[in-house]
Amino acid sequence: MLLVCAMPLLASAPELEIADFGAEKMPEDITLSRATMERVPHENGFARLVHFEQSNYFPSIVFKPREGAWDWSAYSDINVSLYNPTDKSVR
């Protein structure tokens, strides 16, 4: 499961959701390299199951800003929730 959001540094800054991987349609500002993604049931909603290719190159998920460049000045950190559905370790 993937959920990505930025946590505010200042009380006046809103929490910013970067991507909702449970949405029916994948956001257009997310691209995959050497990976595929499918929408799957998870807990009380949906998530994305990502399959990374075994490769000499690094598979990735790239988050592009919706416009311009990212401005993280009002935020203290980025929160990414991950869930590994297998008993194999992830590196």
Side-chain angles (χ1 to χ4, degrees), residues 1-4 17 19-26 37-50 81 83:
M1 179 185 100
L2 288 170
L3 173 66
V4 182
E17 185 177 274
D20 177 6
F21 285 95
E24 199 162 322
K25 184 178 179 210
M26 259 319 280
M37 205 179 277
E38 63 180 295
R39 186 172 184 248
V40 296
H42 180 70
E43 294 180 352
N44 294 327
F46 291 91
R48 297 285 169 168
L49 181 59
V50 181
S81 297
Y83 169 73

Side-chain angles (χ1 to χ4, degrees), residues 6-16 70-77:
M7 304 308 288
L9 177 63
L10 306 171
S12 60
E15 185 174 301
L16 173 67
W70 294 111
D71 178 5
W72 301 113
S73 59
Y75 297 91
S76 62
D77 57 283

Side-chain angles (χ1 to χ4, degrees), residues 22-39:
E24 199 162 322
K25 184 178 179 210
M26 259 319 280
E28 294 178 10
D29 47 359
I30 295 182
T31 57
L32 302 173
S33 175
R34 296 177 181 81
T36 58
M37 205 179 277
E38 63 180 295
R39 186 172 184 248

